[in-house]
Amino acid sequence: MPDLLLELLSEEIPARMQRRAAEDLKKLVTDALVERGFLYEGAKAFVTPRRLALHIAGLPARGEAVREERRGPRVGAPEAAVQGFLKSAGLSSLDQATTVTDPKKGEFYLAVIERPGRETLDVLAEILPGIIKSFPWPKSMRWGAASAQPGSLRWVRPLQSIVATFGPETETPDVVPFAVEGISAGTTTRGHRFLSPEPFEVRRFDDYVPALERADVILDADRRKDIILHDAKDLAFARGLDLVEDEGLLEEVAGLVERPVVLMGSFEERFLEIPAEAIRATIRANQKCFVLRKSGSEELAPAFLLVSNLVASDGGAAITAGNERVVRARLSDARFFWETDKATKLEDRLPKLESIVFHEKLGTQGERVARIAALAKDIAPLVGADPALAERASRLAKADLVTEMVGEFPELQGLMGRKYAELQGEHLSVAAAIEEHYKPVGPSDRVPTDPVSIAVALADKLDTLAGFWSIDEKPTGSKDPYALRRAALGVIRAVIERSLRLSLAPLVAPRFANAGTERTADLLAFFADRLKVYLRDQGARHDLIDAVFALPGQDDLLLVVRRVEALGAFLATDDGKNLLAGYKRAANILRIEEKKDGRAYDAAPDAALAASGEPEERALAEALAAAREEASAAVAAEDFSGAMRALSRLRAPVDAFFEKVTVNADDAALRRNRLLLLNALRAATREVAEFSRIEG
């Protein structure tokens, strides 16, 4: 079957946009084809710094003919309905329609629409220009004389040529006949900008890839990454060094080169006095280079690896020398920052935080630090931390934001603060907390272990959440400019992974001067939603989470998790499944009878009346009283498994009650009491969860 080859050659595409652009191109083209009934066997998109490419295999040469029957209005329907039918069906008169008789609805019009299958080449020529013109680049530009015209083509960088061919592998493929802004699709492309700049012809994907390789272009980004990583490790090993791997940098560098060549540069030993993280940040941010370690050690080596886009005649000596000059200059700056910062204590930097606005409605960084310190001091005893150390760490936690090093490399915030704190003799827990209070930054980041770090991390995140809730700046849809979802998840992970017992409401409520109860409840609901996401990722059922959160006062996240776990284990047993079925039967009866009677059956049943009734009625009343008391005591003792065991004893009496006892008895008093017994079952289960939220 025929294949499609599409290449869009342009000036350099920013590395950060490349992967997404390749995915977008594949999706836009394949979706448009499928929408028109053209299925395919496989599709893959590729990207280099200068080109987007797409290969779609196994497309039909021609679409299938379509026969559609479209039902119209009844015979004798108003003229407007008839004309609407004719227009939608593409008919000029009712003579082109038929009439069909329906035994129930009478006669109605029917249009039979037949469309011949379209040539795939024509369909491609129809859809590709629109996709190119409306391509969703995060940023794009216009260029040349045409840029003065409204609606002219926008592309990430000036588009230079288009290759678009379609045909079977046994024949010479056709060029897809279209043009965009004067750029006609053809079979001509170019290779590496410097190594192979001459144009050459390609016909199909199978000869396109090897032709690019001969022209010094490796099309597959993952292959470029593999080459860089393999060559970097080999070069480091040959010098007795180890590569410090960096997946993010590797991805970026692979997007900067079409023909990667790994080279090694060096710098003076004296620069190793700078903290390793600062060296790495300097070399990574400014030169996109990898740092190296001494073999078998965590100590950095005075060397780095760069990735060139050229096979130089001098073996890369000039390229390496140029990079070494820049690296030395940058490291000289970093060394100056380091020496300058060491001369001033963190505490002496605190007044500068008063002049930095955190948020116009939430005050300065200095005011925020004071809030965090007070909150961390309150949290400390709850997590086993020294309150004085937690307060001290909070006071110093943001001081490194006004250092020279963090000003140059914001990604070093916290880490440099720890270095400076250690140098000035702060308690080790205080120094650790300055770095770790930002953690966890993402789902793969670790949670702090030091109690002081935990206290400050929780205080920092809770202050952020309560602050933005107090000014009604909450996440909406996909928008979360202040990373509040991440902050909430950080609190959740710290509480659960470190088994912390915290009631969140008393910690955040004081921040809400007005409408405190309402905003506290809203923030706790946000935590509940985030916890649901977290627990679902751990395999917990969403309905069980809802069932626990439906109970009042669920602001101790660790207890919520334990209750969900116990509930899940209980419902996995036969007793749990049967009790849930009995509960739902009771709840359905109550709902029907309460609606019919216009009243709620929410009082306590009459024990004496139950005792005088059927044996099963009496047994259920006794079992309910005992189970509720036992479950309540178990919940109070935080023994949720024990509470589930108490409820499990209701299975047999509930089953017997429904088998032997008629709820809607003729005797009104007996009927009412039996409905109250069912309500007592509903109330007993609410000791552990809201069973009405449980599916099944």
Side-chain angles (χ1 to χ4, degrees), residues 23-35:
E23 293 170 5
D24 286 341
L25 180 64
K26 175 183 170 182
K27 184 176 188 333
L28 289 169
V29 176
T30 55
D31 283 358
L33 287 168
V34 171
E35 184 181 328

Side-chain angles (χ1 to χ4, degrees), residues 261-273:
V261 178
V262 181
L263 303 170
M264 181 178 289
S266 62
F267 55 85
E268 289 81 353
E269 287 265 0
R270 60 190 173 90
F271 290 122
L272 294 179
E273 298 171 5

Side-chain angles (χ1 to χ4, degrees), residues 654-665:
V654 167
D655 289 348
F657 177 83
F658 280 123
E659 184 178 344
K660 298 291 186 179
V661 178
T662 301
V663 175
N664 285 320

